[in-house]
Amino acid sequence: SGLTKVASFTVPDDEIEAASALARFSRHPASRAVAALHPAGQAAVEQIREEPGNGIEGTVGGRVYRLGRQSWVDARSTAGSASAEAWLSADGRVLGAFRISDSLRLGAAAAT
């Protein structure tokens, strides 16, 4: 197992807290990485629904956010999402994506 983290993102800075708050409700490694971007966030998330294989949805500040696979987050998308990306939308408008990297933990390679 490696260390999963966000390598880069195109989501606006003012949406990171909402994305991180929503991501805390999922155990998916990509969501855990997004949640770590704003660990002290206090945004309240309501009406949380996880869609297995697609992502997580919840209401933050009266807006419906989705975090997950591009084809689920963006209904207009016909492109397949790279597995190393988590996309974010609010009220059906795509806000951007998080590129996820997974690296070996220090010493993990030596243990083989």
Side-chain angles (χ1 to χ4, degrees):
S1 178
L3 176 64
T4 303
K5 64 180 185 173
V6 173
S8 63
F9 59 88
T10 59
V11 172
D13 289 342
D14 62 350
E15 298 287 2
I16 298 298
E17 184 176 3
S20 294
L22 178 60
R24 277 191 206 90
F25 290 93
S26 174
R27 292 174 35 161
H28 191 282
S31 289
R32 308 307 307 141
V34 171
L37 287 176
H38 201 291
Q42 299 297 316
V45 183
E46 301 172 321
Q47 299 172 338
I48 301 150
R49 182 175 66 90
E50 195 152 17
E51 182 82 25
N54 286 317
I56 189 165
E57 178 181 271
T59 302
V60 180
R63 298 170 72 198
V64 178
Y65 284 84
R66 279 187 169 186
L67 177 69
R69 184 181 303 272
Q70 181 182 16
S71 59
W72 182 69
V73 167
D74 182 4
R76 297 165 306 177
S77 172
T78 56
S81 174
S83 60
E85 291 179 330
W87 289 77
L88 181 72
S89 70
D91 294 332
R93 195 179 108 249
V94 174
L95 299 175
F98 299 92
R99 192 170 64 76
I100 309 299
S101 71
D102 191 8
S103 58
L104 287 176
R105 279 186 291 199
L106 190 60
T112 56

